[in-house]
Amino acid sequence: MGVAGSGKTTVGVALAQRLDLPFVDADDHHPPANRLKMAAGRALTDADRQPWLDTLADFLATSSPLILACSALRHAYRQHLAQRCTTPPQFVWLDVPEAVLQQRLEQRQADSQHFMPASQLRNQLDTLEPPHPDEPILHLHANQPIDTLVNQITQHLSTT
């Protein structure tokens, strides 16, 4: 979990390869209306996100174990994703300084046609709810090499 530019897809793909598990990128499952809204620089509402979260919860309920890269910015979103899992999901929060995130998003926009513009970073940061004390989430400072992050996650998973 984490805001745009935190490395969810990059770390998720590397972790899925390491663990030989399927990888799902939540961004690939946004309805077209959500993609258009974000591309236009407008923030999604909880109502916009609900069908997307339902689709992701279906993946988790029917295809686990798997690695899912998903923003999961609010506590309620994480609860929704977890509610249909047969075993409790393991969330990893990739936390990155805002200046680094901004730089990554600007570079990503220059390199591709990603639907999430860098201008939406502030909205994502404002929406982000750090984990509640009752949420067992691995908090990683994700401004580290990918291999280091994957090693930290696999070590955490082996002890839970």
Side-chain angles (χ1 to χ4, degrees), residues 6-87:
S6 61
K8 297 179 302 291
T9 299
T10 303
V11 172
V13 166
L15 181 63
Q17 289 173 346
R18 171 88 55 93
L19 300 176
D20 195 26
L21 291 172
F23 173 76
V24 174
D25 191 331
D27 283 349
D28 294 339
H29 300 280
H30 271 294
N34 286 7
R35 287 175 170 263
L36 289 170
K37 190 172 185 178
M38 287 184 281
R42 296 189 342 253
L44 297 180
T45 65
D46 286 349
D48 294 327
R49 287 186 180 99
Q50 194 59 52
W52 174 68
L53 289 167
D54 290 341
T55 297
L56 299 175
D58 287 344
F59 275 115
L60 292 172
T62 60
S63 305
S64 62
L66 60 82
I67 305 299
L68 172 66
C70 178
S71 54
L73 297 175
R74 293 188 192 273
H75 177 73
Y77 304 164
R78 297 186 291 272
Q79 285 185 311
H80 185 78
L81 291 172
Q83 73 184 357
R84 294 186 45 217
C85 293
T86 55
T87 58

Side-chain angles (χ1 to χ4, degrees), residues 2 20 28 46 90 100 110 113 152:
D20 195 26
D28 294 339
D46 286 349
Q90 300 291 312
V100 174
Q113 294 298 315
Q152 291 173 340

Side-chain angles (χ1 to χ4, degrees), residues 78-138:
R78 297 186 291 272
Q79 285 185 311
H80 185 78
L81 291 172
Q83 73 184 357
R84 294 186 45 217
C85 293
T86 55
T87 58
Q90 300 291 312
F91 286 94
V92 177
W93 175 20
L94 300 178
D95 192 6
V96 180
E98 184 173 355
V100 174
L101 291 167
Q102 189 67 41
Q103 181 181 24
R104 287 179 182 180
L105 290 176
E106 288 170 3
Q107 184 62 48
R108 181 168 75 180
Q109 260 187 292
D111 292 343
S112 70
Q113 294 298 315
H114 195 275
F115 62 86
M116 179 69 167
S119 63
Q120 285 296 296
L121 177 59
R122 173 52 32 211
N123 176 266
Q124 286 221 323
L125 290 168
D126 290 345
T127 302
L128 176 66
E129 292 176 358
H132 291 183
D134 65 333
E135 289 183 284
I137 295 179
L138 177 60

